[in-house]
Amino acid sequence: MGLAKGLEFRAVGVMGCDEGILPLDERVADAADEAELDEIYEAERRLLYVACTRALEHLLLTGKTPTS
């Protein structure tokens, strides 16, 4: 997702927007404390924002489980 920064596309698809995938469970489990965990979530949130705002016309977000 970070590689899309500065680019634009007619359509963007972001797949795997599920807990445990975004962010990865491994990154969350490796957090040393609450501050590091907050930084992990914030960094993932920023990357997702970058990915979603690259779409000029169409945006598709998918996941395995129902989301809102």
Side-chain angles (χ1 to χ4, degrees), residues 4-56:
K5 191 171 185 177
L7 303 174
E8 292 181 329
F9 305 94
R10 280 190 54 220
V12 172
V14 182
M15 297 184 272
C17 297
D18 292 299
E19 187 174 345
I21 297 173
L22 193 66
L24 288 174
D25 279 340
E26 291 83 17
R27 286 196 68 202
V28 172
D30 290 343
D33 56 21
E34 193 68 29
E36 188 175 347
L37 184 61
D38 288 343
E39 179 53 37
I40 290 169
Y41 277 109
E42 191 59 35
E44 293 292 321
R45 196 173 296 120
R46 285 191 302 267
L47 286 173
L48 180 60
Y49 176 82
V50 166
C52 291
T53 57
R54 303 303 91 199
L56 294 173

